[in-house]
Every structure is written in structure tokens, then in C-alpha cells.
Amino acid sequence: MGDVLLALSIPVLVFGGGIYAACDCWWRRRHPAPPSPYTHRAARLAEQEMLLLAEEIVDDAHAALGPLYEAPAAPHPGGPPAGLKPEASQASRPDATPDRGPSRPAAARKR
């Protein structure tokens, strides 16, 4: 008799576990748990920390690279700086354009 009860207890436990899981699922669908205030607060704190870090990164980059984006300085009224002759610089580079405009296109190569 003990073997029969042991053999029948396994299907009864499996069936009971299935009924419990179905009832638990139904109950949780009908009565959802309220959101935890701790997780929302932690998310807000993490978001604030991330924004502060991003602001620091942008401020550091602006401080380091800001002078590159400022308007160029006005040319010196006396011409080129001392020690630099315009004709010497043009003579060393005969294909350079005399002004700051765009360069002419390069000649096409034949194959």
C-alpha cells in the first residue's frame, strides 16, 4: 500500500503545483503590485548623476576647444609678421594661391 501512495503522490503534487501557479498568475493579474518608490528614486538619482557628468564633459570640451571656434583675429596693420617675406613664401611654393580663396583643381592624369 505504501508504494501505491508514493506512486500517486507525484501526479498529485504536479497537478497541485499547476493549480497553484494558475491561481497565482490570475491573482497577480487582478492585483498588480504598486511600483516601488525605491526603484523610481534610484532611477531619478542615476539620471541626475548622468546629466551632471555630461555637463562636466561638455564644459571641459568647451574650455579646451573653445578658442578654435572663435572668430579669427584681424590681420596686423603692418603687413606680414616680422621675419616672413611674402615673396619668399610664394617662391618656395609656386603652385600656391596668393589669396585665401579655394585652390584651382588639379590637372587630370592620363593613364
Side-chain angles (χ1 to χ4, degrees):
M1 179 77 173
D3 292 337
V4 173
L5 288 176
L6 183 63
L8 291 177
S9 67
I10 294 173
V12 169
L13 285 173
V14 170
F15 184 72
I19 297 243
Y20 174 80
C23 291
D24 186 48
C25 182
W26 175 83
W27 178 261
R28 288 187 187 273
R29 268 195 238 144
R30 298 290 190 256
H31 305 90
S36 174
Y38 299 110
T39 55
H40 288 291
R41 183 166 187 247
R44 281 193 306 268
L45 290 174
E47 181 182 0
Q48 289 174 355
E49 183 179 341
M50 183 174 49
L51 286 175
L52 289 175
L53 181 63
E55 285 178 7
E56 286 180 19
I57 291 172
V58 169
D59 290 342
D60 290 345
H62 187 283
L65 301 175
L68 295 175
Y69 295 105
E70 292 177 0
H76 298 325
L84 179 65
K85 296 179 183 176
E87 58 273 356
S89 65
Q90 289 294 331
S92 64
R93 299 184 329 221
D95 59 341
T97 57
D99 58 351
R100 290 189 165 272
S103 301
R104 58 186 166 89
R109 294 184 189 178
K110 292 184 180 180
R111 292 182 188 204

